[in-house]
Amino acid sequence: MIPYGRHDLDDQDIAAVIEVLKSGPLTQGPVVPAFEIEVANFVGARFGCATNSATSALHVACLALGVGVGSRVWTSSNTFVASANCALFCGAQIDFVDIDLDTHNMCMSDLERKLRMAESKGELPDVLIPVHFAGLSCDMRKLACLSQRFGFRVIEDASHALGAKFNDERVGCCRYSDITIFSFHPVKMIACGEGGMALTNDENLIEKMRRLRSHGVTSDQDQLIDYQDQNQWYYQQLNLGYNYRMSDIHGALGLSQLKKLNQFISIRRKKASYYDEVFNEMDDLGIINSHPEGYESSLHLYVIRQKQNGKTSKQMLDFLRGCGITANLHYIPVYLHPYYRGLGFEQGHCLNAELYFRTATTIPLHTQLTPDQQEYVIQQIKNFQAVV
Ligand SMILES: *Cc1c(COP(=O)(O)O)cnc(C)c1O
């Protein structure tokens, strides 16, 4: 089977992990802070908070921004469930914004329309979670204007977008947001096994997120309540936190993988450009322009869409899977899952996301896709399109 995505490990990565197993503390030790510094430097943010997944990073990010019972959080309808679940973990209400069919990202004009309506009802969101789908950044300048105008905070779910650029700066620099989240799940841009990170430029937010990642406990003298003695052993729990720490084993893998990120992206770019060339010639297939002016996608996913030809995602997925290609669908609109329907969401809530869901397919794009495999994928897609 040819997978849609796959991690890429070499001997250096394996040696880095073995080094920790031989000599390091196995839990969070010196490697995790080194990884945080490297990622923060790479994207141009001041601080990083490494966690055991992007899901836990999203959770502590919401909590650090004060999301709780009575808060409202909005995210994209076309995303993984974790972008929405993090709000529900905090007891907040969630809602979904429709997507733009040219970028598959949250649609800024639909967002603005929805914000005006919410304003008139006194139901504006407290936090917005845009998702940089497939590695292409949302229009963060537009979003920052809306955030000033309507007074919400912003967490970028950049799980797909490590290495991507917006306005010629790296996604994660947090120029237009409070916090940015990355995922290091094996299908993402770099692999830790499991892992995630929250980036921010705000000292107060990083302090809160790091404390929430480790039980809400601190031994930092500056944070202790009513305690003056300089005892090394003393600690206090200040919040209800979690055990969301990243281990040094995972951090070592991430640190080693990060060195190869630029190379990974350039390999993805070559393969994606080849797909672009082929599919641009095919009138009934739509693709994303991954290089609008000032944007650079990390090319985490390669999605094709059926134009008005009656063919569906389901037919294409069944066909490709039948020929040994594990194509996929990113994503089922989050609110159509049974759990979310149980909260009262109904079909028709975001029409573009539903049209996208009926017509989109994620095809294989990763560093280890061989030229022969890529030709095979293209041939099978042509075969499918040729069937009436
Ligand atoms: C993968 C992913 C997540 C969750 O990442 P984990 O590290 O697996 O928790 C969240 N949001 C999006 C958009 C993702 O693709």
Side-chain angles (χ1 to χ4, degrees), residues 33-211:
F35 182 41
E36 290 172 337
I37 290 167
E38 285 298 312
V39 174
N41 286 344
F42 175 74
V43 299
R46 286 181 69 198
F47 311 109
C49 171
T51 52
N52 54 9
S53 71
T55 304
S56 22
L58 282 162
H59 187 190
V60 295
C62 283
L63 290 171
L65 289 178
V67 173
V69 176
S71 306
R72 289 187 197 83
V73 177
W74 293 2
T75 188
S76 174
S77 44
N78 182 36
T79 185
F80 186 55
V81 294
S83 318
N85 289 346
C86 57
L88 302 183
F89 295 162
C90 308
Q93 278 184 2
I94 187 77
D95 200 358
F96 300 92
V97 182
D98 208 351
I99 60 167
D100 176 316
L101 286 172
D102 290 330
T103 61
H104 307 162
N105 276 330
M106 185 183 279
C107 174
M108 290 299 146
S109 50
D110 189 56
L111 173 62
E112 190 166 354
R113 183 192 57 79
K114 207 173 156 73
L115 285 165
R116 287 185 195 287
M117 257 168 46
E119 187 178 41
S120 68
K121 291 193 232 159
E123 295 175 354
L124 281 170
D126 303 284
V127 172
L128 209 98
I129 307 183
V131 180
H132 305 313
F133 180 76
L136 182 67
S137 175
C138 295
D139 183 348
M140 291 306 296
R141 256 194 300 204
K142 174 75 184 168
L143 191 68
C145 290
L146 293 174
S147 121
Q148 293 228 317
R149 157 84 174 74
F150 293 97
F152 55 81
R153 314 288 294 269
V154 178
I155 301 171
E156 298 174 68
D157 183 346
S159 292
H160 300 182
L162 182 63
K165 288 184 179 167
F166 171 71
N167 201 18
D168 299 317
E169 284 181 299
R170 293 268 183 213
V171 167
C173 70
C174 299
R175 180 175 306 285
Y176 305 99
S177 65
D178 297 285
I179 300 169
T180 302
I181 306 298
F182 293 114
S183 171
F184 311 122
H185 179 282
V187 297
K188 304 290 162 76
M189 298 304 298
I190 63 169
C192 280
E194 294 283 357
M197 198 178 291
L199 283 295
T200 184
N201 295 322
D202 184 318
E203 240 162 305
N204 190 25
L205 290 176
I206 196 71
E207 186 183 295
K208 281 190 188 159
M209 291 193 290
R210 285 181 178 157
R211 205 161 62 220

